[in-house]
Amino acid sequence: MQGGFSLESKEREILQLIEENARIAVDTLAKMVDLSIEETQAIIQKLEDQKVILGYSAVIDWTKVKTTETVTAMIDVKVTPKRGVGFDDVAERIYRFPEVRALYLMSGAYDLSVVIEGKTMNEIARFVSDKLSTIDSVISTTTHFQLKKYKHDGVVFSDGEEDRRIVITP
């Protein structure tokens, strides 16, 4: 059961194909799953209505768009869960900040993993000190700055240019 209902195999196939390429044409998708265009569109609409498909996004290499460079940080957060609501209450307070791109409940040494974006490292530091650390349930934070992206959502980030120098060893 996924979200209170089970998914048919055709629905799973469609989801996997859309996840791999959200821009796939419906007629191409229909051929790939051996359904009519109308049946395929109906399944997609149903999955959107049921909030199985939450949105469509592109993976962009922002380093190639020089004027929009941002800093991404992953922040490990230890919190004290609240009685009756666990981590959900503090998680909701955190994900409402516009800087927060993603938020996950984690197992291990810390409780929440927060991914944020800012224009500078100082902007992220101010977010942590002024907004995140001031939440009552937050015990501690550890901030990790993303230095280079190699792979994201299954997409490898490279220019396709390999180092063609000859390796010389003594």
Side-chain angles (χ1 to χ4, degrees):
M1 292 296 249
Q2 176 80 15
F5 51 89
S6 64
L7 293 176
E8 301 294 326
S9 66
K10 293 292 184 184
E11 292 172 343
R12 280 189 189 281
E13 283 182 65
I14 289 170
L15 287 173
Q16 288 169 337
L17 291 166
I18 289 174
E19 186 176 45
E20 190 175 308
N21 178 8
R23 292 190 64 188
I24 191 167
V26 175
D27 59 334
T28 304
L29 188 58
K31 288 175 190 170
M32 293 175 79
V33 297
D34 195 29
L35 291 173
S36 71
I37 293 172
E38 294 76 20
E39 290 171 314
T40 304
Q41 287 173 323
I43 288 173
I44 292 169
Q45 185 63 55
K46 172 186 162 190
L47 294 169
E48 289 173 349
D49 293 345
Q50 292 175 338
K51 304 287 187 222
V52 174
I53 298 174
L54 298 174
Y56 301 89
S57 64
V59 178
I60 299 169
D61 186 351
W62 285 106
T63 62
K64 293 182 179 170
V65 184
K66 302 295 182 203
T67 58
T68 58
E69 195 93 19
T70 59
V71 178
T72 302
M74 288 131 189
I75 306 166
D76 303 338
V77 184
K78 287 185 182 179
V79 300
T80 304
K82 291 188 176 180
R83 177 167 283 148
V85 291
F87 296 100
D88 294 346
D89 187 55
V90 68
E92 183 177 348
R93 288 187 65 191
I94 293 170
Y95 72 61
R96 290 190 179 279
F97 290 117
E99 299 91 338
V100 175
R101 302 277 297 154
L103 176 62
Y104 308 98
L105 178 62
M106 305 296 291
S107 65
Y110 56 94
D111 304 304
L112 299 172
S113 178
V114 183
V115 180
I116 69 165
E117 283 186 356
K119 290 184 178 101
T120 64
M121 289 177 145
N122 281 335
E123 187 176 296
I124 290 173
R126 281 193 304 279
F127 171 82
V128 172
S129 63
D130 297 349
K131 295 180 180 178
L132 193 57
S133 295
T134 59
I135 297 172
D136 291 337
S137 301
V138 172
I139 299 168
S140 67
T141 64
T142 304
T143 304
H144 308 275
F145 288 99
Q146 185 183 85
L147 302 177
K148 183 176 181 179
K149 191 181 294 188
Y150 292 101
K151 186 175 182 178
H152 180 80
D153 283 346
V155 177
V156 175
F157 285 63
S158 73
D159 292 336
E161 295 180 20
E162 296 178 27
D163 188 351
R164 299 193 191 285
R165 294 178 290 178
I166 299 172
V167 177
I168 300 175
T169 56

